[in-house]
Amino acid sequence: MSVISHRDTIVVGGGVAGCTAGLYAKRYNLDVVVLDKVGPGGLAATAALIENYPGFPEGISGLELTQRMYQQAEKYGVAIELTQATGLAAQGDRWLLHTTHTDYLTTAIIITAGAHPRSLDVPGEAELRGAGVSYCATCDGFFFREQTVAVIGGGDTALEEALYLAKLAAKVYVIHRRDELRAQPYLQRQAFDQHNMEFIWDTVVTEVIGDQQVEALGLQSKKTGEQRRLDLDGVFVSIGYKASTEWLGDLLELDDGFIVTDQNMRTSQPGIFAAGDIRNTPLRQVATAVGDASIAAYSAYQYVSQREG
Ligand code: NAP
């Protein structure tokens, strides 16, 4: 039988939102623990340079920013326990959280488990993952020094990945399914200025080709239907994110997989709050994750206080 740990607040996810929720919860004197399957940092830790988080006019690396956030949470006594949430169910008027190590009985729960990259779901992608197919340029870009790579997507992530890769690789193709980018104008301007970046518009990837290693992409024009092969060494898939909500089953109201909350970060279940990239929100930024998480911790504090009279 698994051990049950009793808390009044559990935070699931140790990224920007999780560290912020932990920090605020601790300052509201809640008995809180933050859980993460790999440790603090989350997705923002993989960003090479974060230039739009206020207070850092020169920009700051995602790793350094998230490390600083964790250090600040630690200073107030927030502990991160390494374990992965696997299920959540009501137990009386509390919540029983199942994880790979321990079960937790808690009054309030703040879900900040973030999101993970979407895959293209084309032949060859899964087989060549880690052999030329990547979802993170700052993690894997180094392996493609002076080589030819492609980034798939037209959003902020795709252009940030492409700009990072343009400093390392000889040639970077950006392959987008429309003829207009979704990314913020300042990123578009930077990308259009790169001499070694080429945009392939109105085009989708139909196949990742390679035996042991990526050798080429199969492409198809959305305008003419024409198919062609593009030889290259690596492909970075940046077509958005899927919320990490699989472990919740149908417990909470979701919108396209993202957790629906009100402005107080309350979900469809009492005592369960959500913040950061996992939430149904129009903007996924470090700044919005910090704002959401501080509100979620305040709401959890009010919820716990009311229950304890
Ligand atoms: P996103 O904004 O959802 O963009 C995804 C891109 O991939 C879109 O251009 C989309 O095309 C394309 N796409 C989606 N599915 C596709 C498919 N199956 N095949 C081909 N292309 C596909 O995702 P994101 O760029 O990862 O950004 C996620 C959130 O994080 C956004 O809110 C973004 O603003 C934020 N973010 C901000 C920054 C920053 O502020 N510096 C950096 C990174 C991310 P369509 O355009 O045709 O839909």
Side-chain angles (χ1 to χ4, degrees), residues 12-309:
V12 178
V16 165
C19 286
T20 307
L23 169 69
Y24 272 73
K26 205 73 189 177
R27 285 167 64 92
Y28 285 122
N29 216 18
L30 293 170
D31 173 26
V32 64
V33 64
V34 178
L35 312 180
D36 196 281
K37 58 183 175 186
V38 292
L43 205 59
T46 64
L49 188 67
I50 294 176
E51 292 179 284
N52 55 0
Y53 187 63
F56 299 92
E58 310 304 326
I60 182 166
S61 81
L63 189 63
E64 188 183 349
L65 181 61
T66 54
Q67 277 175 345
R68 280 168 168 261
M69 287 181 176
Y70 178 54
Q71 280 163 10
Q72 195 170 353
E74 252 189 329
K75 186 176 143 189
Y76 290 98
V78 176
I80 290 206
E81 292 183 9
L82 292 187
T83 188
Q84 182 170 2
T86 53
L88 182 60
Q91 177 138 322
D93 61 353
R94 304 187 82 197
W95 292 103
L96 182 63
L97 174 72
H98 299 288
T99 80
T100 41
H101 287 32
T102 310
D103 285 348
Y104 296 84
L105 197 58
T106 183
T107 306
I109 181 156
I110 302 174
I111 301 173
T112 57
H116 52 273
R118 276 182 197 280
S119 47
L120 287 164
D121 291 331
V122 296
E125 181 186 19
E127 295 80 349
L128 293 166
R129 195 179 180 136
V133 174
S134 170
Y135 301 81
C136 174
T138 45
C139 315
D140 302 325
F142 179 80
F143 300 114
F144 300 92
R145 216 169 256 277
E146 297 306 322
Q147 297 188 356
T148 299
V149 296
V151 175
I152 318 302
D156 288 337
T157 307
L159 286 205
E160 285 194 346
E161 299 274 273
L163 286 164
Y164 179 80
L165 289 164
K167 291 190 207 120
L168 295 168
K171 173 93 184 175
V172 180
Y173 292 101
V174 178
I175 301 170
H176 184 37
R177 63 183 177 181
R178 292 188 293 136
D179 63 359
E180 198 185 343
L181 295 168
R182 181 182 291 273
Q184 298 170 61
Y186 86 96
L187 286 171
Q188 297 196 26
R189 277 196 301 276
Q190 285 179 46
F192 293 143
D193 280 350
Q194 297 296 316
H195 69 280
N196 60 345
M197 208 183 281
E198 182 177 331
F199 285 81
I200 301 178
W201 304 105
D202 297 305
T203 298
V204 290
V205 176
T206 54
E207 191 185 355
V208 182
I209 302 161
D211 188 8
Q212 303 289 316
Q213 192 72 29
V214 169
E215 292 163 20
L217 290 177
L219 302 182
Q220 182 169 32
S221 162
K222 285 192 80 183
K223 285 223 158 126
T224 63
E226 187 199 339
Q227 306 229 16
R228 67 170 170 125
R229 175 187 162 112
L230 178 70
D231 287 331
L232 42 66
D233 306 292
V235 55
F236 290 81
V237 180
S238 302
I239 59 166
Y241 291 90
K242 257 181 144 160
S244 301
T245 47
E246 300 84 356
W247 57 282
L248 289 163
D250 56 7
L251 183 67
L252 301 178
E253 185 189 345
L254 304 178
D255 178 9
D256 195 22
F258 291 90
I259 300 174
V260 174
T261 69
D262 66 10
Q263 63 176 5
N264 295 316
M265 306 303 142
R266 289 183 295 218
T267 70
S268 55
Q269 293 283 358
I272 304 184
F273 308 88
D277 285 0
I278 201 164
R279 187 172 89 79
N280 179 22
T281 169
L283 197 58
R284 295 195 169 81
Q285 304 270 307
V286 175
T288 53
V290 164
D292 283 2
S294 47
I295 294 171
Y298 177 61
S299 295
Y301 163 66
Q302 286 186 314
Y303 182 82
V304 171
S305 306
Q306 278 160 10
R307 311 217 107 199
E308 289 173 357

